[in-house]
Amino acid sequence: MASVPNHRIAVYTGVFDPVHLGHLDIIRRGSRIFDRLVVGVGINPEKAPFFTLDERVQLVRQVAADIVNVDVQPFDDLAVRFVRSVGARVMLRGLRTLSDMEYEFSMSLTNLALDPEIETVFLMAKEEYSHISSTLIRQIAAFHGPLDKFVTPVVKAAMLARMKERPYAAGS
Ligand code: ADP
C-alpha cells in the first residue's frame, strides 16, 4: 500500500560497520531537525562485514537508545525504495571531506534519477569527527589499538569480543 509522504520524516542510511561517534552525531543532530528519523542499516554487497546485519542494527539501536524519535531498521533494497517504504521523502547524509562530497554528489544525483521526489539533505560532520570512518576503526581494532575516541563503550566491547572470536576479523 502506498504511504502518504511526510516531509518531517527523514531517513539516514548507511552500513554502520560499526556505528561510530561521527554517525551518532549526525543521528542526534538529524533527530533535532526532523520529527522522526529512521536509521536504515543496509548491506554492502561488495564487502564481507565485520558485524552481521542483525548485530549492526542492535548496536545502532543501543547507541541511539536515548533519542526518542529515532527508529532503527534493517533494509536490503535500494535506499530510495526504503525511504518510500517508511513514508518519507527526505534522505539525510553526513559529509566529512571534499572527497566524500564527490561520492555523495554522484549518489544524490543517482538517487534523484531513481526517484525524483526524494531529496537528499546534508549535514557537515563536526570537526572532531570528520576524520572517523568505520574502515579505519576496523583497522585499529585489528591491531588492538585504542577505540575510545571513535566509538561508544558498547561498540568497543562488541568489537573486542569479535576480535577474540576471530582475531583477524577486520572485514573487507
Ligand atoms: P562509513 O563511511 O563510516 O563506513 P557509512 O557507509 O555507514 O559509514 O556512512 C553512512 C553515512 O554516514 C554517510 O552519509 C556518511 O557520509 C556518513 N558518515 C560517515 N562517517 C561520518 C563522520 N565521521 N561524520 C559524519 N558523517 C559520517
Side-chain angles (χ1 to χ4, degrees), residues 12-16 20 22-23 26 93-96 100 104 125 129-130 132-134:
Y12 178 45
T13 58
V15 179
F16 305 109
H20 53 63
H23 294 136
I26 298 292
R93 303 286 299 171
L95 275 182
R96 283 167 292 199
D100 257 6
E104 294 288 343
Y129 303 131
S130 62
I132 304 180
S133 75
S134 298

Side-chain angles (χ1 to χ4, degrees), residues 112-131:
L112 212 49
L114 290 170
D115 190 333
E117 285 183 3
I118 293 180
E119 291 291 351
T120 307
V121 169
F122 296 96
L123 284 181
M124 292 303 299
K126 272 204 189 138
E127 202 179 359
E128 65 259 46
Y129 303 131
S130 62
H131 58 293

